Amino acid sequence: PLSGQAAYVWGLNNIVGSAGECCALCAAHQKHCGTQTHPAQEYAPGKKCGRGRGRCNAWVFCAGSDRAGAEDRCFSYDIHKHVKGECWLKFEGNLSSPVAAGPTLPAPFRAAERKKWPWAVPEQLWPGPPPERLTWQ
């Protein structure tokens, strides 16, 4: 998934039905947000620009997983349970060379003991080892 330099809208509370919807939200955020003068402006129905720090130019969508027991989520080396439909609206400073992980994780990452992962992801957030392919879009 694209890490980016900033997440203007966290996907944990921004659930949509498709990657296309996520893309459209990023475009709307880019068009309507990014100024300090209208932080309460809506970029989509019920969705406010926020602090006006910038405009979305990259997005990440959780499409779910093909891992048994984890079909409703996406893997990430962090402390959150990322669920199907999350839409992260982000900023990437260099679109020609983005900060990203994947689409596959290196074998040494996948073979490492859980306690040696960048974040020790609890078993209840992600059952078993990390996936080979990341399903973030």
Side-chain angles (χ1 to χ4, degrees):
L2 177 71
S3 296
Q5 293 175 307
Y8 295 128
V9 177
W10 275 46
L12 298 173
N13 298 316
N14 191 37
I15 307 298
V16 299
S18 70
E21 286 179 60
C22 189
C23 180
L25 283 179
C26 182
H29 189 276
Q30 188 174 68
K31 180 179 179 182
H32 297 288
C33 302
T35 66
Q36 293 291 343
T37 56
H38 301 291
Q41 178 176 339
E42 288 190 345
Y43 63 94
K47 298 186 181 290
K48 296 189 185 219
C49 290
R51 291 176 248 154
R53 292 186 177 172
R55 295 181 171 133
C56 178
N57 70 354
W59 53 270
V60 180
F61 175 73
C62 174
S65 171
D66 57 5
R67 168 76 53 95
E71 296 88 352
D72 63 339
R73 60 190 106 162
C74 288
F75 179 82
S76 184
Y77 283 113
D78 66 25
I79 61 171
H80 303 288
K81 179 180 179 181
H82 294 285
V83 299
K84 186 174 183 175
E86 282 184 20
C87 172
W88 292 74
L89 303 185
K90 297 187 169 194
F91 174 77
E92 175 56 57
N94 185 353
L95 289 173
S96 64
S97 182
V99 177
T104 60
L105 292 173
F109 275 39
R110 296 190 320 272
E113 294 176 55
R114 187 175 290 262
K115 66 182 179 181
K116 293 183 179 178
W117 294 2
W119 290 91
V121 180
E123 187 77 23
Q124 68 268 24
L125 293 184
W126 188 263
E132 180 177 355
R133 290 194 58 77
L134 297 174
T135 57
W136 292 93
Q137 298 177 358

